[in-house]
Structure formats: structure tokens, C-alpha cells
Amino acid sequence: MRTHFSFSFWLMLLLIGSLQAQATLDYRVQPHITSACSGTFIAHELDHITQVTQKPVRFFDSNGAGLAINDLNNDGLLDVVLANLDGQESILWNTGSLQFRKQLLSIPGKTRAVLIVDMDADGWQDIVFSSQRAAPSLWRNTGDGNFAFAPLSGIRKAAYTLNMADMDADGDLDMVTASYDAEMERIDASYLLSGGAGVFYYENQDGRFVGTHLAERSQALAIYLGDLNGDALPEIAIGNDFAEPDAYWMRRNQAWERFEPFAITTMSTMSFASGDINNDGSTELYATDMHPYQNDPATMRVWQPILDDLMQQLRANDVQKITNVLQMPQGNQFQNIAPRWGVHHTGWSWSAQWGDLDSDGFLDLYVVNGMIAADIFGHLPNAELVEENQAFRNVAGQQFEPAPQWGLNALASGRGMSMADMDNDGDLDIVVNNLLAPAMLYENQVCRGSHLTIDIQHENSHNPHAIGTRLILTTSTGVYQREIHAASGYLSGNTSRVHFGFPNESRLQQLEIIQGNGTRTRLDNLEANTHVVVALGG
């Protein structure tokens, strides 16, 4: 049974805490609702199917499409936007109790990635899509349940994937895009003759984006924007497919320079996700690749031709390996700890995300799998490699163990995936955009620990939901760190709502909010199992 507390009963509290850089602050608090506790996740089918034009499925429709989660109508409930290849895009308006009202969008061209961000800082979150042939498109939220196309000034090159952050610390959101050249060359013979695309950094200059061409070529499936070199500024990581090495840029003297932070990388990078998996205050970066999670004879008969082909593409002493990679900071370097932590092989893996799924204070891992492609698996029924999605429980910040007890081992061909609290009960639910199968919502009924969720609203800011902000929660049982990212995983937009889990016996001591410009704000007197909306001023 659920007991719902309406958002009209928000409790307004005023805090005068430890403030720096003249930040002002108030916040409001609402208790999380109570929910059922079955000890597992409950699957709910959503009214959306990502379709393809041609069947059997061939490259590159096999790559599917993404999704994004955020609150589009400011009612306190998180909504879902799902991209599509051959069919209309869907907005699933959250009406409460995991019920959704569907609204169709008609976006020209096949859509891939989705972000939900407040592009014009008008208080309404907008939608940005990437599409197969064109530059990213902005759909402005008019505040009445409708969305109007508005050009992204200065962004003209095609992009398969994209991400946003305040890359130059000037208070607004910049954009990084990257193309998937193998697909573009197949569908458009003039693509390279017209200059192609590659990797672009677009600096936001008063609402107009000014581009810097970082790379002429890319095979990008994922983009990570975060601090890789310890300078407290975001760097750019481009995850490339087809044995194309991943690429990294850092900002130095107002210019972008290439650098190589890792000794080992994935060969075909499908997804990036970051988080503090052992609560030591540093951030780990996880990248997925293609490798079977089982080595029994039947599995290897299916996989071996793929592995043999990939091995032929490897160069001697190459940093690229056919494996997932989990980069952990070790002094001034990174070490790949994926084999030791048990997450190096997860299948033909697409979106991977961190989240404290059992609210014990440690980030767990979920990875969605599968492939449908007549070009590769035409000898299999429906040309489909059927694999279970993989869930891993973080064991006290020491290693990961498979978590079949959570019931997340779905067999649909997952692509985009994100985590968020979809029913305001405080724990993380999961939404997946499958290919040729209904999208799914997995309701979290694990009910192991306690929670705190945070929404930040930065008043009078061009980054109104504080993307790039770091939050540090200190409790009697541990210190937990989170960062707000616009996107992660594969083609998937993140909610700006932050989730913390911790043991039931924890006493909350303080929450520190560290903005991208270095401003620090502290909240005291917080209570577990509540949702807090923080209004930053100044």
C-alpha cells in the first residue's frame, strides 16, 4: 500500500548555514511516500517501442535509441522522453503511482540521444535530440504541455551523441557533440565530401554556440564530461566504436589539448558512467565493451567469430582491450580494476549506470545487453543475440557480486537506460528503451536502507539545475559523494535529481553543495527519507 503526500504540502524551511562566496539559500522538504517491499524490482511495460524501418534489422538500426528523465512540468514527478528510429518519439508524463500519459512527438529524422535540460533558463526543462542525419535539435518547453522547435544557434554538424556541462566555468551550459562516421558514410555518400563532422566543442556565448573542431573523424557512441586530471574542471572523453581509439581533451590556456589519461581502455566503447564506488572521495569511470559474460561452449560458438574479428583489429601493445574497463584513480594515474571487481565481462553491453539500488551507501551497477543484426547474427533466430541484463551489488566498496535476486535479468534488447526515483518513494527505479520491444520501468521494491533525494534550483542562473555540481553527504555511517551530469551511459539523459542511499541507522550530519565556480553551501538538520528542493541564490 502507498500513502501519497501531495506536493502542495511542501514544508518551507529557512536555513542560514555555513555559506561561502555570498551564496544564499533556502530549501523545502517533503517526506518520501511509503511503498511496497517485495525485496526485488517489479517490471512495468511502458507504451513505447523503438521500431526500425528495415527488417531483418541491419546496421546501424541495431544500435537502437536512448531516453532521458526529468521533470518537464514542474509538478515534482519525473517524466520520460524516449527517442525512436522508425516511429514517433514519446513523452510519458508521470501522473503519479507509476502511471503515465503518453504524448507523441514528430522529430524529423531518426533520433538517437536525448537530453532534458533548461536551455533558456526560463524555469521549464527543454528537450534536445540527436538524429541520424542532422545536427541536434532543440524543442523548447512552452510551459503548457507543448514543445516548439527552436534552432540551436551555431550548431550545424551532424551528431550521434552529445553531452552538456559548464566547460569554461562561466555559468552557462556548453555542448560537446560527436558523430558516428561509419553510419553516416553508409547512408550519405556525400558525407565526407561535405566535410563530415567528428568531435565539436560548442561554447555557449549568450545563447549562441561557437564551435571548436576537436577531431575531424569519430566513431562515437558515448561522451563523458568530468574531471579526469584533478584540476576541478571538466575534461572531454569520447568513447569510440570500431577499434577507433578513445579520445580525450583537457583545457589549458583557454585551448583544448589532447592527453592520454589511461593505460588501458575498451576497444569498442559503448557507454561511460562515473561515480565514487568505494566512498573514498574520488571518482571512478566505467566503460562498457562487447564480451560474453559466460564461456560455456554454446555461448562461445555464437561469440567466437565476433571475438576473432575484433582480435584481428588489435595492434601489438595497443592500450585497447576487448573488455569493460573500470578506471580507479591511483595517485596521478588510473588503474583498471574491472577484473578484480568482477565487472569486466557483461555481454554485448550498451548503457551502464551506477546507482545505490539497495540504499546501503554503496553504488551498484546495472548494464543492459543484447544485439539484433542480420549482418552479424543472421544464423540466430530473429537474428538476435539474446542476453540477460546484468545487475551487480556493491559489497561494502570492495567488489561487485551478481544480484539475480533483484529480478533485473531481462532478456529484451536494451539500449538506452537511466535511473531515477519515478514514484517519489526515495529509491532508484530504472527505465530502459528496448529495441523492437516495449520500453520498461523497473520499480524498486528492495527496501533495504534509507534515502535522501535532492533537487537544486539555481535562481538567476544560466545553469538553473546546477549541472556539474558536486554534493557530499556526511553521515554517522559514511561520507557519500554525487555529481550532477546531463547525460551518461549510452544515449541517455540523466535526471538532475540526486539520490543518496545509506543504512537505516545513519544520522545525517551535513550536506555540502560545491558548485562549478567553487561556491560551497552547507545544509544541516536534514532528515532521512525526505526529498529536499534547494534554492541557491546569488
Side-chain angles (χ1 to χ4, degrees), residues 181 184-185 188-197 216-217:
D181 290 343
M184 290 299 298
E185 291 166 12
D188 184 357
S190 66
Y191 172 68
L192 291 180
L193 295 177
S194 62
E216 294 183 358
R217 299 272 295 167

Side-chain angles (χ1 to χ4, degrees), residues 80-121:
V80 183
V81 178
L82 299 117
N84 208 335
L85 297 182
D86 182 31
Q88 291 177 279
E89 295 71 22
S90 299
I91 299 177
L92 301 183
W93 295 97
N94 191 339
T95 58
S97 301
L98 298 182
Q99 300 299 307
F100 298 89
R101 174 177 55 85
K102 183 175 180 178
Q103 177 181 346
L104 292 174
L105 296 174
S106 294
I107 312 300
K110 301 179 178 183
T111 51
R112 292 289 194 183
V114 193
L115 300 181
I116 300 178
V117 291
D118 188 352
M119 295 290 293
D120 50 8

Side-chain angles (χ1 to χ4, degrees), residues 93-336:
W93 295 97
N94 191 339
T95 58
S97 301
L98 298 182
Q99 300 299 307
F100 298 89
R101 174 177 55 85
K102 183 175 180 178
Q103 177 181 346
L104 292 174
L105 296 174
S106 294
I107 312 300
K110 301 179 178 183
T111 51
R112 292 289 194 183
V114 193
L115 300 181
I116 300 178
V117 291
D118 188 352
M119 295 290 293
D120 50 8
D122 66 348
W124 299 95
Q125 302 243 40
D126 309 300
I127 306 172
V128 181
F129 288 96
S130 70
S131 62
Q132 189 180 55
R133 294 174 178 265
S137 60
L138 167 63
W139 297 83
R140 284 194 62 250
N141 188 339
T142 57
D144 58 0
N146 295 305
F147 295 83
F149 172 76
L152 286 164
S153 177
I155 300 180
R156 300 182 181 89
K157 289 292 187 176
Y160 183 96
T161 187
L162 67 159
N163 205 339
M164 299 192 73
D166 184 2
M167 303 298 292
D168 51 3
D170 66 350
D172 57 22
L173 292 175
D174 311 295
M175 183 180 291
V176 178
T177 70
S179 59
Y180 193 49
D181 290 343
E183 178 182 42
M184 290 299 298
E185 291 166 12
R186 177 168 294 196
I187 64 176
D188 184 357
S190 66
Y191 172 68
L192 291 180
L193 295 177
S194 62
V199 181
F200 276 87
Y201 162 69
Y202 292 101
E203 181 179 336
N204 189 340
Q205 296 184 2
D206 297 324
R208 182 177 184 274
F209 290 92
V210 178
T212 299
H213 203 180
L214 300 180
E216 294 183 358
R217 299 272 295 167
S218 67
Q219 306 289 1
L221 297 178
I223 299 175
Y224 170 71
L225 305 178
D227 186 7
L228 294 173
N229 63 3
D231 65 355
L233 294 172
E235 283 76 55
I236 299 171
I238 303 295
N240 284 314
D241 196 4
F242 291 115
E244 177 76 17
D246 293 349
Y248 310 90
W249 286 266
M250 61 184 290
R251 197 176 185 94
R252 180 177 293 172
N253 299 324
Q254 305 303 311
W256 291 100
E257 295 183 2
R258 290 286 293 265
F259 76 118
E260 299 293 336
F262 305 128
I264 294 175
T265 71
T266 50
M267 180 177 177
S268 304
T269 305
M270 319 282 276
S271 174
F272 281 131
S274 63
D276 183 1
I277 63 172
N278 58 357
N279 296 335
D280 67 349
S282 63
T283 299
E284 285 71 46
L285 182 66
Y286 187 60
T288 58
D289 203 332
M290 303 172 290
H291 197 290
Y293 51 79
Q294 294 175 321
N295 59 2
D296 59 276
T299 298
M300 295 311 296
R301 277 195 299 272
V302 173
W303 269 90
Q304 199 60 56
I306 305 301
L307 296 175
D308 291 343
D309 180 65
L310 292 172
M311 287 297 297
Q312 292 178 10
Q313 300 178 52
L314 287 175
R315 297 179 290 271
N317 302 316
D318 202 323
V319 300
Q320 295 177 285
K321 307 298 179 185
I322 307 170
T323 182
N324 299 343
V325 172
L326 176 54
Q327 309 284 5
M328 174 173 281
Q330 302 285 335
N332 294 324
Q333 299 177 328
F334 287 86
Q335 178 185 2
N336 174 30

Side-chain angles (χ1 to χ4, degrees), residues 410-429:
L411 294 174
S413 204
R415 297 297 184 267
M417 180 268 293
S418 284
M419 300 177 178
D421 179 11
M422 301 302 299
D423 50 5
N424 288 340
D425 64 353
D427 54 26
L428 285 175
D429 309 298

